[in-house]
Each structure stands twice: as structure tokens, then as C-alpha cells.
């Protein structure tokens, strides 16, 4: 009897789509729907990976750190076999037990209670910025004037960065998020500056480079108390600088876009500014600034009726899950009467975005300031998307304001 | 459509799925969700609150395997002079029974170090057991000193046996009292000493570590927490200060849900008391905290609560909603 060894059959439906092509990055929704409808788990031939686009499976994979760990990288690159482009993040690219202490330290520093003391200042800063912007006329590009400006005003200060070099933060973050995808033109575009940008970011993480009253100093203080090691402290600061800027910028653009295109929702928010938090989370659900993340199966794992083989990457479409009609009623509608709770736009489980309260506070500040001055607003011209392998972003979002 | 919605963990009620007498006076309980679902994650040093059917709330350290997402294990010492928590567990609680669970919460977290010395006194072994496993997994240099009256009363000796001479078992009836300072010697730089056990042991260790660098010693005390009132199993009222509405929270719904059904949506995310999204200010009344976020001082302050899991000790709470 002869036994011919066979490659294990792919159990899942297969697809030839390229989630990282410019066509898809321009408008990923049709592909999301295609993948959701193809099955709970789909094999993507082009990259030899598994993809999940339905809420239930995305949620399951996100929360199951035991079977879908992160230390092999949360991008396409598999750290089991490939060397990462930078020392792995202690938060994002680590599993328990190594993940525990850095996460614990950061979640305390960025927790809602710790942020209360920033609230008043940030609301005042947003008022000043909105007044400045509006004094230049009722039409402006929201990306250029608001969403990329406000986070860069308040967040680096809160971290404790000195003023110089802050213009490096956005390109660095943009490259870091591109690098989670395949080595395509978007990655190549960032490559010439990687060494310089990574070097600058690295140099900003040292204790001496930080003011003594920010998140950065608090991280170093935690290392003085032995809660993390002095070797870990700069990498934890780096996580703030990598993940804390671009994502918030795109989140604020998303909520402005949602409100500009849904005037009745803006009226609702104006009538009740306390809805600002709901509006922001609904925008994070609806647009999902972070579109995707990967996990790696650490053995043959059952997911959605399919066996994901040991060592294979699973691409989780947070954005598709956030519009899965199996979970959300009328999912494509940006709707402030909806309870967006449970969306996976910030992830879920032990890696859920540790900076989410910071992002919410920034967005809330901007929306409150606008609600005070602006009766209504709309999109005033052609919008332009910014392509990134992981992020959904605007390059340009022209708005016209009607003042109250 | 709600079919595929995540479990709405309202009251976190777990089922006892196993009970075992593992040493003289020490029982372990295994707990799981009645639907078999995933439990909130935990880290070594974490404890959970057991809300016992007799209304008492007691804290027990988790001593199971965090890679098993579907069950918790706690070890419970029968305290003869106690106020009835441990005797209820030992005498009444049986597999199949349901108990309310809060947390997990960690006031005794493990910090990264190259070298650890663990000192356990009696039932104080429970939080240290997962730490030992973790230190071993990380390849750290570690040692455990496990003190007890007699081997008969010392739980988990079988689970510790494979670690060989990294574990020093000191049973008083065999070896007499131990010279703690002598055992400790002068630990190498960067050593973290973790101790859990009776006050006497902790005090002795504090003295022995007095000259070591600050933050070297980390301890957890087993003191019966003074709860002003037993956990409520009866409905309570929640007043929403800004709208003036009052809602009744029955045992089968969370405050989050009750408030929501009164038309006040509060944003939530994890619904397990771990992410902080649903934080709500408390203006009056005493919350029964069951989250994993607040430390002891913050809990005592009682000025905010995570309404996806936490409840009320008082008949009425006034929330800043
Ligand atoms: S929703 Fe996460 S703490 Fe309540």
C-alpha cells in the first residue's frame, strides 16, 4: 500500500482578493461584504492566510489570546520566521506573562480616573483651536485644520515631549501601521525615512527627553517602583508615540465626516452634547480607523467551524465586524441613537486599545467646542482618502460651517 | 438582530463545577460559566470576590491556570473562628450551586524580575502558586519557601513536587520554627520577594527585608475585609441625578442595562469591568464594586463605579447620569 503524503486540505472557502491593494484601500466595503458572505473563515490565497470578517469570529479571535497570541506579530509578517523591523512592542506584540506588567502600568496611567485632570485643559484648548479655525472663514479642510492639529497639540504635551520634532510623529505612525501589511508600495514609500524616524522616536523615549509631569514620566516612575524594568520603560513610552497619534487623528476625521454627512445626527448632538462620546464610538464603529489586525494560530485552532493550522496568520477585519448585519441593525447607518457598545474598533480582550479613553477625551473636546459655535456643517468639496495598510484615513476632508 | 451578540454579562454568576478537599481544612473550588463560555482574564496575584448565597462576600486568590479560559480555581481554608464565609464554602457549597463572582482584581501583581523569592504561609500559597508557574515559564531564577503547621495541612504539595529543590517545604511539626532571616540571607540585586500568609509571617519578613532596597518586598495580607453591609441580593434603586428618574435594578440585570432601559444609554465596551468605558460618577450610596479596575483606595472612595458589573451595598445609589 502506498500512502501519498498530501498537503492538508484547506477547509475554508478561498478567495483571491488583495485586502491591501489600492482599489480596496480606497473603498474596502465591497470586499468586506464579500468576505463576510463567503463564510465565517476565508482562506486568502494570495497571502496564504486566513481571514475573518464576521463579528462573532473577529470577537472570538481577538479575545482568545491563548490560542491566537500576538507575539508572532500582529501584522502579516510572522515573527516565528521573520525578523521584525523594530524591537517588538511590549504591549501589542507580546503575550502574557510578558504583556502583563507593561499593560498594567499603562492602563493605570491612561485610565479614565487619571485623565480627569486633563479634561478641563483639553476642553479649553479645543475651544481656542476651534475659534482660531473659524476666524479664518467658514470653509476649511478638517484634516489639515482640526483632526491632525488637535491631537498634535494636546497629546505630545500630555506625554511630556519637548516641542522639537513633533512633525515626525505622524509619518512614523503612518509607517508603523503600513508595516503591518505586506511589503507593498506603501511600505516602500516609508522606508527611506524609517531609520531617521525610528531613531528620533527612540531618542524621545528616554527619561531625560521627557518633562517630569507627563505620561512618559509616569511610566519611568513605574519603573522606579519596580513595576516594569528600566529596559521596558522606553519601549512602553514608544507604544504611546506609535499608537496614540495617527489613530486619534483618523478617529476625529471619521466622526466629523459622519456628522457632516448626517445633519440630523449633528442636531441631536448639538441638543445634547453629552452624546459626543457616543458619536465618537459610533464613528469608530462605522469607519474603524484601525481596520485590521493579525493574530497567529499557536496550534491547530478551531475557529468558525474551520481548523486554522498551527503557525498560520489570521487577518481580523475589525471594520467588517463593525458593520456585520448579523450583529448590527442597519450597520451602514451612522446613528447616534444606536448603542455602539461592543464594537471592536478598539479591539477587544487583553490587547484592547489602552489609549481609548485618551482618544475619546480628545474627540469629546473637539465636538463640544464645535457644538457651541456651529449650527450645521456639510462636506464642501471632494474628499480624498489616505491609503494605509492598516488605517482608514482621510487626506482631505473639506467642510463648510454655518455658525450659530 | 441579537443572535450573535456577545454575552451580556449581567450579574456574573458562576457555577461550582468541582470541589475537592486538597489538604486538612483546605478545599478547592472550580468555577465556570453555566453556559461554558470564556471567563474574564486574570494575572497571577489576582483574587475574585465570591458573593455567597448567605449574602457574605469573600475574597479568594485565583490559583488555577490562566491558559484555561473556561474555569477558575480558588483554595479556601476553613477558618473555625471566622464569620461564616469559609464554613459556608466548606459545608454548604456543592458542585452545581451558583455563586456571584466579582473581579478578578489584582492588588498583588507580579512585577518583572530576574530573580524571585516566594514565601508562602499556609493558605497564602494560593496567590503564589500561579506566580511560581509563571516565574518558571519565564526562566527566572526563583525559590519558594512554603511554611505550614504540618504537611497534612499544606495544599498543592503534589503540584509543587516537580519543581524539585526550588521549593523548600518547612512543616513546623517536623522541623520546628524557621530562621527566616537566615533563610533569606542577602538576596542578589534585583530580587523581588513575594510573600502571602498570616500577619506574623509578613511582619517577620518585613523586619528581615528592612535593609533591602525599597520595593523589594511585596506582600498580600489576609485580613477579613470589613464590609459595612453584606452584598445585596435584593433589588435596589438607582436614581439618575440629571434626569431625576429612578430605576429599580433587579438581581438579573446589570445597572448598565437597568439605566439603559430607562432611556439613558451609557457607553460600554467589555461589559466585564475591565476596560473602564462605562465609568459612572456616584453621588450618594455605596457601590458594591465588582470590577477589575479600581484599587482598594479608589474602591473605598466610592465616587465612581463601573456599572456593567458593579452593584450596590445600599438600598439606593445616586448616579451622575
Ligand atoms: S464596559 Fe468595560 S468596564 Fe464596564
Amino acid at each position: 500500500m502506498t500512502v501519498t503524503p498530501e498537503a492538508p486540505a484547506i477547509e475554508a472557502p478561498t478567495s483571491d482578493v488583495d485586502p491591501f491593494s489600492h482599489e480596496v484601500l480606497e473603498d474596502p466595503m465591497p470586499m468586506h461584504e464579500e468576505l463576510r458572505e463567503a463564510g465565517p473563515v476565508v482562506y486568502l490565497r494570495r497571502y496564504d492566510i486566513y481571514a475573518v470578517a464576521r463579528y462573532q469570529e473577529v470577537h472570538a479571535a481577538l479575545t482568545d489570546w491563548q490560542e491566537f497570541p500576538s507575539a508572532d506579530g500582529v501584522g502579516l509578517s510572522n515573527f516565528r520566521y521573520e525578523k521584525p523591523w523594530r524591537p517588538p512592542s511590549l504591549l501589542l506584540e507580546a503575550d502574557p506573562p510578558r504583556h502583563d506588567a507593561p499593560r498594567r502600568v499603562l492602563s493605570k496611567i491612561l485610565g479614565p480616573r487619571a485623565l480627569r485632570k486633563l479634561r478641563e485643559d483639553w476642553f479649553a484648548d479645543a475651544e481656542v483651536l476651534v475659534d482660531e479655525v473659524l476666524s479664518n472663514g467658514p470653509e476649511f479642510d478638517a484634516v489639515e485644520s482640526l483632526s491632525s492639529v488637535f491631537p498634535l497639540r494636546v497629546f505630545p504635551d500630555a506625554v511630556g515631549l519637548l516641542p522639537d520634532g513633533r512633525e515626525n510623529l505622524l509619518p512614523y505612525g503612518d509607517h508603523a501601521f503600513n508595516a503591518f501589511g505586506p511589503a507593498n508600495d506603501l511600505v516602500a514609500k516609508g522606508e527611506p525615512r524609517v531609520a531617521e524616524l525610528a531613531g528620533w522616536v527612540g531618542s524621545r523615549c528616554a527619561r531625560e527627553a521627557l518633562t517630569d509631569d507627563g505620561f512618559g514620566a509616569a511610566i519611568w516612575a513605574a519603573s522606579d517602583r519596580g513595576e516594569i524594568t528600566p529596559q521596558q520603560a522606553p519601549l512602553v513610552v514608544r507604544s504611546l508615540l506609535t499608537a496614540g497619534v495617527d489613530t486619534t487623528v483618523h478617529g476625529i476625521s471619521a466622526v466629523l465626516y459622519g456628522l457632516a454627512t448626517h445633519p440630523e445626527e449633528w442636531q441631536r448632538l448639538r441638543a445634547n452634547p453629552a452624546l459626543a462620546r457616543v458619536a465618537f464610538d459610533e464613528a469608530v464603529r462605522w469607519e474603524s480607523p484601525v481596520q485590521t489586525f493579525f493574530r497567529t494560530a499557536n496550534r491547530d485552532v478551531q475557529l468558525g467551524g474551520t481548523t486554522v493550522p498551527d503557525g498560520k496568520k489570521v487577518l481580523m477585519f475589525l471594520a467588517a465586524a463593525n458593520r456585520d448585519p448579523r450583529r448590527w441593525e442597519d450597520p451602514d447607518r451612522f446613528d447616534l441613537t444606536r448603542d455602539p457598545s461592543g464594537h471592536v474598533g478598539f479591539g477587544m480582550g487583553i490587547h484592547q486599545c489602552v489609549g481609548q479613553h485618551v482618544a475619546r477625551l480628545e474627540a469629546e473636546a473637539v465636538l463640544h467646542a464645535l457644538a457651541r459655535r456651529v449650527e450645521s456643517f456639510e462636506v464642501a468639496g471632494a474628499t480624498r482618502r489616505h491609503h494605509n495598510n492598516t488605517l482608514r484615513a482621510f487626506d482631505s476632508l473639506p467642510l463648510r460651517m454655518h455658525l450659530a | 438582530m441579537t443572535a450573535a451578540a456577545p454575552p451580556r454579562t449581567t450579574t456574573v454568576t458562576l457555577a461550582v463545577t468541582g470541589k475537592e478537599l486538597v489538604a486538612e481544612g483546605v478545599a478547592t473550588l472550580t468555577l465556570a460559566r453555566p453556559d461554558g463560555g470564556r471567563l474574564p482574564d486574570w494575572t497571577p496575584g489576582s483574587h475574585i470576590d465570591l458573593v455567597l448565597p448567605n449574602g457574605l462576600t469573600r475574597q479568594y486568590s485565583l490559583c488555577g491556570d490562566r491558559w484555561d479560559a473556561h474555569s477558575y480555581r480558588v483554595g479556601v481554608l476553613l477558618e473555625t473562628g471566622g464569620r461564616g464565609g469559609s464554613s459556608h464554602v466548606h459545608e454548604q457549597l456543592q458542585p452545581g450551586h451558583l455563586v456571584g463572582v466579582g473581579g478578578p482584581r489584582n492588588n498583588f501583581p507580579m512585577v518583572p524580575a530576574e530573580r524571585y523569592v516566594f514565601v508562602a504561609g499556609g493558605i497564602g500559597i494560593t496567590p503564589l502558586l500561579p506566580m511560581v508557574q509563571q516565574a518558571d515559564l519565564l526562566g527566572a531564577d526563583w525559590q519558594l519557601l512554603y511554611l505550614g503547621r504540618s504537611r497534612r495541612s499544606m495544599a498543592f504539595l503534589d503540584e509543587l513536587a516537580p519543581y524539585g529543590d526550588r521549593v523548600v517545604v518547612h512543616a513546623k511539626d517536623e522541623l520546628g520554627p524557621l530562621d527566616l532571616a537566615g533563610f533569606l540571607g542577602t538576596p542578589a540585586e534585583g530580587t523581588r520577594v513575594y510573600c502571602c500568609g498570616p500577619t506574623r509571617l509578613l511582619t517577620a519578613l518585613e523586619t528581615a527585608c528592612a535593609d533591602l532596597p525599597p520595593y523589594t518586598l511585596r506582600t498580600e495580607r489576609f485580613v477579613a475585609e470589613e464590609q459595612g453591609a453584606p452584598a445585596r441580593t435584593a433589588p435596589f434603586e438607582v436614581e439618575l441625578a440629571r434626569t431625576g428618574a429612578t430605576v429599580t435594578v433587579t438581581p438579573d440585570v446589570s445597572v448598565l442595562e437597568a439605566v439603559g432601559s430607562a432611556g439613558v444609554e451609557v457607553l460600554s465596551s467589555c461589559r466585564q469591568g475591565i476596560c473602564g468605558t462605562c465609568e459612572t460618577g456616584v453621588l450618594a450610596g455605596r457601590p458594591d464594586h465588582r470590577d477589575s479596575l479600581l484599587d482598594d483606595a479608589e474602591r473605598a472612595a466610592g465616587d465612581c463605579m463601573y456599572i456593567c458589573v458593579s452593584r450596590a451595598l445600599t438600598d439606593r445609589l445616586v448616579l451622575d447620569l
Side-chain angles (χ1 to χ4, degrees):
Chain A
M1 197 174 79
T2 36
V3 181
T4 346
E6 259 181 275
I10 306 288
E11 299 172 23
T14 63
S15 166
D16 288 319
V17 296
D18 180 0
F20 306 100
S21 70
H22 282 278
E23 192 196 339
V24 169
L25 295 179
E26 179 65 27
D27 177 16
M29 314 296 177
M31 182 202 65
H32 290 163
E33 183 170 1
E34 188 184 321
L35 291 176
R36 271 194 310 257
E37 295 318 308
V41 178
V42 183
Y43 176 76
L44 303 189
R45 224 186 307 249
R46 187 183 296 261
Y47 295 109
D48 183 24
I49 58 174
Y50 290 77
V52 287
R54 294 185 187 174
Y55 183 86
Q56 194 177 334
E57 281 72 29
V58 170
H59 190 277
L62 279 169
T63 42
D64 186 0
W65 59 267
Q66 285 95 341
E67 292 184 300
F68 291 112
S70 296
D72 292 324
V74 297
L76 177 62
S77 166
N78 192 329
F79 298 174
R80 263 201 222 181
Y81 315 111
E82 294 161 60
K83 188 175 153 9
W85 67 280
R86 55 170 199 173
S89 157
L90 297 178
L91 276 304
L92 201 57
E93 295 157 334
D95 302 312
R98 288 191 166 77
H99 174 259
D100 297 340
R103 171 81 188 187
R104 183 179 173 85
V105 164
L106 208 49
S107 52
K108 203 79 193 167
I109 293 171
L110 305 180
R113 293 176 66 84
L115 296 185
R116 277 187 211 160
K117 54 179 185 295
L118 292 173
R119 192 178 176 89
E120 230 173 278
D121 282 353
W122 285 13
F123 273 58
D125 286 346
E127 297 267 337
V128 171
L129 175 63
V130 163
D131 284 347
E132 260 169 44
V133 171
L134 291 175
S135 68
N136 289 328
E139 281 194 34
F140 55 85
D141 191 321
V143 176
E144 200 184 285
S145 309
L146 269 183
S147 41
S148 72
V149 176
F150 187 68
L152 278 171
R153 271 201 194 183
V154 297
F155 186 69
D157 277 348
V159 174
L161 285 193
L162 299 177
D164 62 300
R166 292 181 179 193
E167 67 281 1
N168 291 327
L169 287 169
L170 281 171
Y172 177 74
D174 191 48
H175 182 74
F177 281 99
N178 269 328
F180 293 125
N184 58 12
D185 61 314
L186 290 168
V187 177
K189 181 192 72 179
E191 230 121 53
R193 292 194 65 200
V194 173
E196 172 213 340
L197 293 173
W200 179 83
V201 167
S203 74
R204 299 296 91 186
C205 299
R207 188 199 289 265
E208 313 74 61
L210 294 157
T211 62
D212 55 13
D213 57 354
F215 301 145
I219 291 166
W220 277 102
S223 91
D224 292 339
R225 295 189 300 271
E227 292 167 21
I228 50 173
T229 66
Q231 293 76 37
Q232 290 175 327
L235 283 170
V236 176
V237 178
R238 194 193 69 180
S239 293
L240 282 181
L241 299 181
T242 314
V245 189
D246 297 57
T247 48
T248 321
V249 167
H250 305 325
I252 293 174
S253 292
V255 73
L256 293 177
Y257 179 62
L259 291 164
T261 50
H262 295 74
E264 66 296 347
E265 302 306 300
W266 175 249
Q267 290 317 321
R268 225 188 279 280
L269 189 143
R270 277 204 81 210
N272 177 14
L275 278 176
R277 283 163 64 90
V278 170
F280 182 63
D281 268 64
E282 171 67 350
V284 172
R285 179 196 71 80
W286 187 64
E287 276 273 290
S288 302
V290 176
Q291 295 266 296
T292 49
F293 266 129
F294 288 85
R295 293 285 187 269
T296 310
N298 71 346
R299 53 176 170 267
D300 291 355
V301 179
Q302 290 300 314
L303 179 65
T306 298
T307 307
V308 180
D310 183 26
K312 285 288 179 213
K313 286 274 170 176
V314 176
L315 174 54
M316 306 173 297
F317 285 95
L318 313 182
N322 282 340
R323 291 196 187 202
D324 182 353
R326 294 162 191 80
R327 170 65 176 81
W328 309 95
E329 221 168 286
D330 201 0
D332 295 332
R333 213 190 119 67
F334 177 79
D335 179 359
L336 299 197
T337 64
R338 166 200 315 280
D339 179 6
S341 300
H343 71 73
V344 291
F346 289 125
M348 200 47 86
I350 63 167
H351 290 284
Q352 192 180 40
C353 173
V354 74
Q356 58 181 298
H357 308 296
V358 180
R360 286 197 187 106
L361 189 60
E362 289 183 29
E364 230 186 320
V366 170
L367 293 178
H368 272 256
L370 284 172
R372 202 176 56 88
R373 299 276 326 261
V374 177
E375 165 77 44
S376 64
F377 64 103
E378 71 255 345
V379 177
T383 60
R384 198 169 59 245
R385 286 285 175 180
H386 170 78
H387 293 183
N388 180 287
N389 283 330
T390 304
L391 305 175
R392 180 111 172 108
F394 283 102
D395 226 1
S396 173
L397 176 58
L399 297 181
R400 184 182 310 111
M401 302 280 153
H402 307 278
L403 299 190
Chain B
M1 276 201 259
T2 52
R8 288 192 161 231
T9 324
T10 52
T11 37
V12 201
T13 302
L14 300 186
V16 178
T17 56
K19 181 178 175 180
E20 222 184 311
L21 200 65
V22 293
E24 209 174 77
V26 181
T28 56
L29 291 180
T30 312
L31 303 163
R33 270 177 38 179
D35 67 359
R38 230 189 124 89
L39 293 167
D41 293 304
W42 59 281
T43 48
S46 296
H47 67 270
I48 52 172
D49 303 322
L50 281 195
V51 186
L52 297 166
N54 65 4
L56 290 168
T57 299
R58 288 290 178 272
Q59 277 82 44
Y60 296 106
S61 296
L62 290 170
C63 61
D65 175 9
R66 63 188 298 207
W67 274 264
D68 170 3
H70 301 275
S71 72
Y72 287 156
R73 183 173 75 161
V74 293
V76 180
L77 172 70
L78 178 62
E79 282 171 283
T80 36
R83 290 183 305 157
S86 69
S87 63
H88 183 96
V89 170
H90 274 257
E91 286 150 27
Q92 312 284 326
L93 217 51
Q94 295 304 333
H97 289 183
L98 298 176
V99 282
V101 169
R105 214 164 38 250
N106 198 340
N107 299 325
F108 188 39
M110 202 173 164
V111 300
E114 269 157 45
R115 207 180 121 79
Y116 299 94
V117 174
F118 301 108
V119 180
I123 195 66
I125 188 66
T126 48
L128 296 185
L129 194 63
M131 290 195 192
V132 159
Q133 289 158 351
Q134 190 149 301
D136 206 60
L137 182 82
L138 287 164
D141 186 7
W142 65 270
Q143 220 182 8
L144 167 69
L145 171 63
Y146 184 6
L147 304 149
R149 265 183 296 110
S150 72
R151 285 179 174 265
R152 282 193 320 279
S153 66
M154 294 169 77
F156 310 122
L157 288 173
D158 51 335
E159 289 177 40
L160 291 166
Y163 297 118
D165 58 9
R166 282 198 182 271
V167 178
V168 176
V169 177
H170 189 99
K172 199 169 174 192
D173 65 350
E174 292 168 21
L175 302 167
L178 174 101
D179 169 18
L180 199 56
F183 171 84
L184 205 60
T186 311
E189 203 188 301
T191 301
R192 303 292 171 198
V193 182
Y194 276 82
C195 179
C196 182
T199 309
R200 216 170 351 98
L201 175 65
L202 296 172
T203 313
L205 205 61
E206 271 158 14
T207 312
C209 292
D211 294 331
L212 297 178
Y215 307 112
T216 299
L217 176 64
R218 290 165 194 257
T219 58
E220 180 153 82
R221 260 165 221 280
F222 274 154
V223 274
E225 191 175 313
E226 273 313 320
Q227 297 262 7
R232 293 184 62 89
T233 44
F236 54 94
E237 308 260 275
V238 169
E239 184 184 322
L240 312 179
R242 291 190 220 162
T243 58
T246 295
V247 279
T248 303
V249 184
T250 51
D252 57 328
V253 297
S254 63
V255 175
L256 178 77
E257 287 176 322
V259 165
S261 62
V264 179
E265 292 286 2
V266 175
L267 203 60
S268 66
S269 178
C270 68
R271 292 193 179 136
Q272 293 184 329
I274 54 177
C275 73
T277 303
C278 68
E279 184 178 295
T280 301
V282 178
L283 304 175
R286 285 189 56 207
D288 174 9
H289 297 288
R290 298 192 188 173
D291 62 86
S292 311
L293 290 147
L294 298 177
D295 60 33
D296 289 347
E298 293 165 339
R299 281 154 71 80
D303 58 351
C304 76
M305 68 188 287
Y306 298 95
I307 62 172
C308 60
V309 287
S310 294
R311 305 187 67 80
L313 291 172
T314 44
D315 295 344
R316 191 177 178 81
L317 287 177
V318 182
L319 299 182
D320 186 14
L321 289 175

